[in-house]
Amino acid sequence: MKFTLIPEEAPSDSLRRIASEQIGGAIAQLQRKDDLNEGIHEARKHFKRVRALLRLARGALPAETYAFENQFFRDLGRLLSPVRDSAVYIETLDLLRDSQRGRIADEAFLRLRKRLVREHRAVLNEFAQDEQRQGSIIDSLRYAQPRVAEWRFRQSEFSLFRAGLRRIYGRGREERAVAFSQPTTESFHAWRKRVKYLWYHLQILQPLWPAQLKAVERDCDRLADRLGEEHDLAVLLATPTVQDLLDSRSISADLLRSNVSRERERQRRAAIPLAQRIYVESPRQFVDRIEAYWLAYRPHSQFLPK
């Protein structure tokens, strides 16, 4: 399963192949018997990759195709969100504990973690026992796979990607400016989504010039991680279980609140140099550079009919 273009394929064929493989991968993950929790996590990644692909080709797809498929995979992902979200709360608390070691009381940490683990197990078990819901999701994916073969693109070669790539890169620059001028949880989360989509786009386009695009892709991955951890910390504080602790106004609650604030600030500061490197160009300059790589990747494309 290669989440990239292949030189021997027409770009439209590559996108159909990638989408079909991602759907097949999601089905396989949701049928896992060894670790359904991990399977749900991986299935959601497959959905996000398909949605990123749709955004990359958005300028070439009929509007109704884009809207339908984007909503379809978004809604499927939301059906799996409760299981994944409850697992993220535990992971985020553990990361906070590691980064702020010695600043969170052991007893309070363990008590909170045990409650989050119990809640996650309850959500996971509920999903695991709901065979009808699992079957419905898998059936929906099986019906979606043949639809991919029917996707029709209005452009070919690099024109297939130009508008979508420029849109996501430009939106990322705009969201970055908003996040640093209006540093709210919502603004940083909105920016993170654009960074994540650009990361996926660069993975798809990496064969154009692997050495060059891999470096930007790596920075996007790191930036998405920083922004993702910052957002997860904010969401952790908002969960009912953690709110119960914060409402107690105990020393443990004050420590948790201050440590979360300190860690969120650290993640935001770590995002600055990464963002400066990624968004050093204007959207037009960025897309023009990628198109120049395209002509080295598929030099004959400039001679094809427009």
Side-chain angles (χ1 to χ4, degrees), residues 52-106:
L53 182 152
L54 289 165
R55 278 169 168 72
L56 180 59
R58 184 173 184 175
L61 279 169
E64 59 273 16
T65 300
Y66 170 82
F68 178 85
E69 299 291 7
N70 183 57
Q71 181 174 338
F72 174 82
F73 288 101
R74 181 200 66 192
D75 291 347
L76 284 187
R78 287 177 175 174
L79 292 175
L80 304 178
S81 291
V83 177
R84 179 57 193 158
D85 290 348
S86 62
V88 169
Y89 302 151
I90 302 167
E91 295 170 7
T92 303
L93 186 65
D94 288 344
L95 287 172
L96 180 66
R97 172 72 168 177
D98 290 341
S99 65
Q100 303 290 327
R101 188 166 294 280
R103 292 181 171 142
I104 301 178
D106 289 337

Side-chain angles (χ1 to χ4, degrees), residues 32-275:
R32 285 179 62 169
K33 302 299 182 184
D34 61 323
D35 190 342
L36 182 58
N37 181 59
E38 181 65 16
I40 288 171
H41 179 38
E42 292 299 320
R44 292 182 75 244
K45 287 183 183 179
H46 287 301
F47 297 160
K48 290 176 181 178
R49 292 188 188 109
V50 176
R51 294 185 68 202
L53 182 152
L54 289 165
R55 278 169 168 72
L56 180 59
R58 184 173 184 175
L61 279 169
E64 59 273 16
T65 300
Y66 170 82
F68 178 85
E69 299 291 7
N70 183 57
Q71 181 174 338
F72 174 82
F73 288 101
R74 181 200 66 192
D75 291 347
L76 284 187
R78 287 177 175 174
L79 292 175
L80 304 178
S81 291
V83 177
R84 179 57 193 158
D85 290 348
S86 62
V88 169
Y89 302 151
I90 302 167
E91 295 170 7
T92 303
L93 186 65
D94 288 344
L95 287 172
L96 180 66
R97 172 72 168 177
D98 290 341
S99 65
Q100 303 290 327
R101 188 166 294 280
R103 292 181 171 142
I104 301 178
D106 289 337
E107 182 180 350
F109 166 80
L110 292 174
R111 187 166 57 249
L112 178 58
R113 193 181 191 283
K114 285 179 180 178
R115 285 188 62 181
L116 293 175
V117 168
R118 284 198 303 271
E119 291 171 3
H120 170 62
R121 287 175 178 168
V123 174
L124 179 60
N125 288 337
E126 179 184 0
F127 182 87
Q129 293 169 12
D130 192 343
E131 295 182 0
Q132 183 175 357
R133 185 178 5 164
Q134 295 177 55
S136 176
I137 295 173
I138 291 171
D139 286 345
S140 295
L141 289 168
R142 286 180 173 144
Y143 287 126
Q145 210 161 14
R147 287 202 308 266
V148 172
E150 303 302 318
W151 288 358
R152 293 295 175 261
F153 300 96
R154 292 188 294 255
Q155 281 87 32
S156 62
E157 297 299 322
F158 189 74
S159 296
L160 203 160
F161 311 116
R162 184 183 288 110
L165 192 60
R166 181 166 182 165
R167 179 186 180 92
I168 285 298
Y169 187 83
R171 289 284 300 276
R173 282 171 57 95
E174 294 168 3
E175 299 287 4
R176 176 193 61 169
V178 171
F180 284 121
S181 64
Q182 303 172 30
T184 64
T185 299
E186 293 75 19
S187 64
F188 272 88
H189 184 50
W191 178 28
R192 191 247 181 178
K193 289 190 287 187
R194 310 305 163 199
V195 174
K196 198 79 172 180
Y197 283 132
L198 181 61
W199 177 58
Y200 284 130
H201 292 174
L202 292 172
Q203 290 178 55
I204 293 172
L205 298 172
Q206 189 177 316
L208 274 60
W209 198 318
Q212 295 288 338
L213 295 183
K214 183 64 179 176
V216 187
E217 179 203 325
R218 192 180 301 116
D219 279 343
C220 284
D221 188 20
R222 291 170 178 163
L223 178 56
D225 282 348
R226 301 287 78 73
L227 298 177
E229 290 175 18
E230 193 276 344
H231 181 257
D232 291 342
L233 286 163
V235 172
L236 176 67
L237 280 190
T239 62
T241 297
V242 176
Q243 280 295 314
D244 286 347
L245 173 61
L246 297 179
D247 290 343
S248 69
R249 298 183 179 180
S250 63
I251 294 177
S252 296
D254 291 340
L255 282 172
L256 179 63
R257 188 182 288 107
S258 63
N259 286 324
V260 166
S261 178
R262 184 183 298 110
E263 184 62 15
R264 290 182 68 191
E265 177 64 21
R266 189 177 76 85
Q267 297 294 354
R268 290 183 179 187
R269 290 183 181 278
I272 295 173
L274 293 166

